[in-house]
Amino acid sequence: MATVTDATLKQPAGRPAKRFRLTWPWMLIILAGALCLVSLVRLITGADDITSVGQVSAALRLAVPIGLAGLGGLWSERAGVVNIGLEGMMILGTWFGAWAGYQWGPWTGVAFGIIGGILGGLLHAVATVTFGVNHIVSGVAINILALGATKYLSKFTFQESGGSAKQSPSIERIDTVTLPGLSDWMKTLNGKHWFLVSDIAGFAGGVVTGISLLTILAIALIPATWYLLWRTPFGLRLRSCGENPHAAESLGVNVYKYKYVAVIVSGALAGLGGYFLADAAGIYQEGQTGNRGYIGLATMIFGNWLPGGTALGALLFGYTDSLNVRSGGDNVHALLLLLVILLALAVVWQLYKRKPVPAVFTAVVAALLLWWYLATDQVPSQFVAMAPYVTTIVVLALFSKRLRMPKADGLPYRKGEG
């Protein structure tokens, strides 16, 4: 006769075991481990630039617009609205911000960049929330509309003001901040090339050297988003609209209002990310966003619809992209060894979990990469350009089973139909 124990009360039959959650302490442990591995690879390969102050500064600069787009997607999808239109909203933010920026100054450009993104977000909200248009169709339409509208507007604005149909006149850039004493000290430590200490100095130096005020604002938006959505009644109501809007409606929540607010904030963040690109270049150019809206959406998924995870995804993409921008194949070749080590650790983990088939497959891939690393001195330039996108695809493939989107994300909602 079966007996009932405390264990069976705590874990009923048929209920899956509690899944591992990526909390802040675990994220810090993972970051520390990754930094140790990168430092070890740097010492072995001699590729000192992979953790230099300049490399980290470039990575942060490239990560900001992607991270802002990812945060925008997070706001929208937490309320149950899929926002494929982030790319179009970034385009509108870039164009409107540049148009205002060259006439009235950079901070006016910031305001108009946000307004441009809001216009795209409002259009998406009207289409999806009010009229029930398919979210994917609406987002793609906004991307196409934004691209066409900015091309048309550029012909009789920028072209008549000293620019051309494809680019604006020069824009005054927003001020950057450098902490003189700390910055110089970090550069000195980074130049010593010591294990771990110099790498930490490189990352710290990249944060305190030539950082834009817009970058500081973008970083501040990460904890602000977490606090608003997870620690306030407003955030609880908004997230309930993405999990079970009919239950939220039964509790008196105005679901339409919260969806509108979320999508408009999403557009504002994407528009700010768009203007950041124009400010970094000092000019607006056609095609300037470079599909970063889509990459922002991918980083949001990689981050499991959480602000911290989205930021990590944006930093990962920004770092791999900065390798291409700064030094090309040498650093990417060095990081092949890092990938081999990570795959070796994955093999050990899979064997521990008694998954022999995935372990064998991973071991074969690791062996091929090790052969590639030993047989060559440099990675082809084409692969270097592909590295950020390949990294995104690989990361999403590896972590897809651990992701959980809001339950009502993308589902149509009509008041009273629950």
Side-chain angles (χ1 to χ4, degrees):
M1 182 176 178
T3 59
V4 179
T5 65
D6 290 341
T8 57
L9 287 174
K10 293 178 181 178
Q11 186 64 48
R15 178 177 294 180
K18 186 178 180 181
R19 299 181 65 181
F20 170 76
R21 292 188 62 189
L22 190 61
T23 58
W24 277 106
W26 275 110
M27 289 172 64
L28 292 175
I29 292 172
I30 292 171
L31 283 175
L35 187 57
C36 289
L37 284 178
V38 170
S39 184
L40 178 63
V41 168
R42 179 184 61 78
L43 288 177
I44 294 173
T45 61
D48 295 321
D49 194 49
I50 60 177
T51 56
S52 68
V53 172
Q55 188 75 62
V56 174
S57 180
L60 187 60
R61 187 166 58 251
L62 291 167
V64 166
I66 297 169
L68 286 171
L71 278 183
L74 186 150
W75 272 83
S76 180
E77 299 209 8
R78 277 295 175 179
V81 180
V82 175
N83 195 353
I84 297 293
L86 288 169
E87 177 71 13
M89 296 170 198
M90 287 188 79
I91 293 173
L92 291 173
T94 305
W95 191 91
F96 276 95
W99 173 75
Y102 83 85
Q103 299 181 87
W104 302 303
W107 288 107
T108 307
V110 171
F112 272 78
I114 293 173
I115 290 171
I118 286 175
L119 291 176
L122 184 61
L123 180 61
H124 189 50
V126 170
T128 57
V129 179
T130 302
F131 293 104
V133 175
N134 181 278
H135 298 189
I136 306 298
V137 173
S138 174
V140 172
I142 288 172
N143 293 338
I144 297 171
L145 179 63
L147 187 61
T150 52
K151 280 185 178 181
Y152 174 73
L153 291 171
S154 295
K155 290 182 179 180
F156 62 88
T157 51
F158 297 149
Q159 197 167 6
E160 296 178 0
S161 305
S164 69
K166 293 190 176 182
Q167 69 178 40
S168 71
S170 297
I171 308 168
E172 181 186 352
R173 298 182 63 183
I174 289 176
D175 295 334
T176 59
V177 177
T178 298
L179 300 180
L182 184 58
S183 175
D184 295 338
W185 185 37
M186 291 298 105
K187 287 181 179 178
T188 302
L189 280 177
N190 184 241
K192 300 291 185 181
H193 306 311
W194 295 334
F195 175 72
L196 195 58
V197 175
S198 294
D199 302 287
I200 294 174
F203 281 94
V207 174
V208 299
T209 304
I211 184 170
S212 169
L213 294 177
L214 270 185
T215 301
I216 297 174
L217 174 61
I219 294 173
L221 286 172
I222 297 168
T225 293
W226 172 82
Y227 181 79
L228 282 172
L229 294 185
W230 274 269
R231 288 295 181 270
T232 65
F234 164 81
L236 177 61
R237 296 187 188 102
L238 187 145
R239 288 186 292 115
S240 70
C241 296
E243 295 291 342
N244 194 330
H246 296 295
E249 175 194 325
S250 68
L251 296 174
V253 176
N254 188 335
V255 176
Y256 288 135
K257 181 182 78 173
Y258 280 92
K259 285 180 179 288
Y260 260 88
V261 169
V263 180
I264 288 172
V265 172
S266 175
L269 290 169
L272 180 61
Y275 180 73
F276 183 91
L277 292 169
D279 176 74
I283 198 170
Y284 162 83
Q285 292 178 312
E286 187 178 306
Q288 196 165 31
T289 56
N291 297 321
R292 286 176 173 84
Y294 298 112
I295 299 298
L297 199 63
T299 60
M300 176 207 66
I301 297 170
F302 160 73
N304 203 15
W305 288 265
L306 296 170
T310 301
L312 285 178
L315 285 172
L316 176 64
F317 187 90
Y319 181 76
T320 53
D321 201 14
S322 69
L323 294 175
N324 178 36
V325 172
R326 279 180 55 85
S327 53
D330 293 335
N331 287 340
V332 176
H333 181 263
L335 291 179
L336 282 177
L337 182 59
L338 174 63
L339 187 55
V340 171
I341 295 173
L342 291 174
L343 289 175
L345 293 174
V347 170
V348 174
W349 177 255
Q350 288 165 346
L351 290 175
Y352 172 74
K353 287 289 187 179
R354 298 181 181 179
K355 297 179 179 179
V357 176
V360 170
F361 177 77
T362 306
V364 170
V365 174
L368 290 174
L369 287 175
L370 181 60
W371 172 82
W372 186 11
Y373 171 76
L374 295 174
T376 60
D377 295 325
Q378 193 173 24
V379 175
S381 59
Q382 294 85 351
F383 184 83
V384 177
M386 290 167 52
Y389 306 96
V390 172
T391 302
T392 304
I393 293 171
V394 169
V395 168
L396 288 177
L398 290 175
F399 289 93
S400 60
K401 292 184 179 180
R402 292 187 174 273
L403 304 178
R404 192 195 76 81
M405 65 188 294
K407 291 181 181 178
D409 193 16
L411 299 181
Y413 163 77
R414 282 290 172 267
K415 185 176 181 180
E417 290 185 356

